[in-house]
Amino acid sequence: MSGALIKLDEFTITSAVSSVILAGGTQSSSGNNVVIDNTYDVYILKYSGITLTSDGNHAKMRVTVNGTPDTTTNYDNYYEGLRSDSSTSINGGATNETSYGLGQLDKSAGKNASGTLTLFNFSDANEYSAWTTEAQYWWNGSSHILSILGGAFNTVNQACDGVQIFALSENLESGTFTLYGLKK
């Protein structure tokens, strides 16, 4: 499996920003304009060290269409979560949302979010764009880790070309985001 992941784009936040767009026709760190297209069947977005500028806010994700974030109410998801402080698991989901949640974060030192989004059908205008999530983060207001497994759809038949990561009502303070194509 060596060489199966092809690194396409990477961005590291060095000072607070309102959002990060990977692919979507944006200029990558290599100077190329990167888009998610039919070059690969599957794309993988790895993120680590996401923190926000204050406590209790949510890190979010949207797909982009022609480089513009899709803010319509077409995001449906479901997740299962395991908490480090109890044997109780949590689960949930939502339909008709304007974005997909990556976690409610606590700003305390060392508490951040990391995970992997595996992206499917993004370039196919005849299918819903879909993704699975594997994520870990310190849950806001508590001293435990939450580990999430889930999946989501953007419930519109449209070709998507990138991903936007943002905070619900503040800025992203730190984080590294890397986009890969999975070799056919």
Side-chain angles (χ1 to χ4, degrees):
M1 186 128 169
S2 177
L5 289 180
I6 310 301
K7 185 177 174 180
L8 304 173
D9 200 2
E10 183 170 61
F11 186 83
T12 299
I13 296 171
T14 56
S15 62
V17 296
S18 61
S19 71
V20 172
I21 293 180
L22 283 102
T26 60
Q27 190 171 22
S28 73
S29 57
S30 65
N32 300 320
N33 286 334
V34 177
V35 294
I36 292 176
D37 59 18
N38 64 0
T39 303
Y40 303 98
D41 292 332
V42 176
Y43 288 80
I44 296 173
L45 175 61
K46 293 188 172 281
Y47 59 92
S48 62
I50 296 177
T51 61
L52 308 178
T53 53
S54 66
D55 277 343
N57 211 314
H58 295 264
K60 298 281 194 168
M61 174 261 197
R62 288 185 175 127
V63 300
T64 64
V65 179
N66 297 319
T68 302
D70 180 349
T71 61
T72 61
T73 57
N74 293 309
Y75 295 85
D76 294 354
N77 69 82
Y78 184 80
Y79 65 88
E80 293 282 338
L82 300 173
R83 295 169 42 156
S84 64
D85 68 335
S86 79
S87 60
T88 305
S89 63
I90 64 168
N91 59 43
T95 59
N96 303 322
E97 298 289 309
T98 60
S99 60
Y100 175 70
L102 298 178
Q104 183 177 6
L105 304 180
D106 186 335
K107 185 175 168 29
S108 303
K111 295 184 177 181
N112 58 61
S114 297
T116 302
L117 299 172
T118 304
L119 314 174
F120 305 94
N121 302 329
F122 265 54
S123 66
D124 189 340
N126 298 310
E127 297 283 340
Y128 292 169
S129 293
W131 53 95
T132 60
T133 302
E134 300 171 25
Q136 305 76 40
Y137 60 92
W138 286 92
W139 201 4
N140 178 59
S142 65
S143 59
H144 65 272
I145 297 170
L146 188 58
S147 182
I148 296 288
L149 295 174
F153 290 94
N154 178 259
T155 58
V156 178
N157 290 343
Q158 64 185 359
C160 299
D161 59 4
V163 173
Q164 177 198 36
I165 308 294
F166 67 102
L168 189 57
S169 62
E170 62 183 285
N171 287 328
L172 299 165
E173 186 172 63
S174 66
T176 298
F177 309 89
T178 309
L179 181 67
Y180 299 92
L182 183 60
K183 192 172 184 178
K184 290 183 179 184

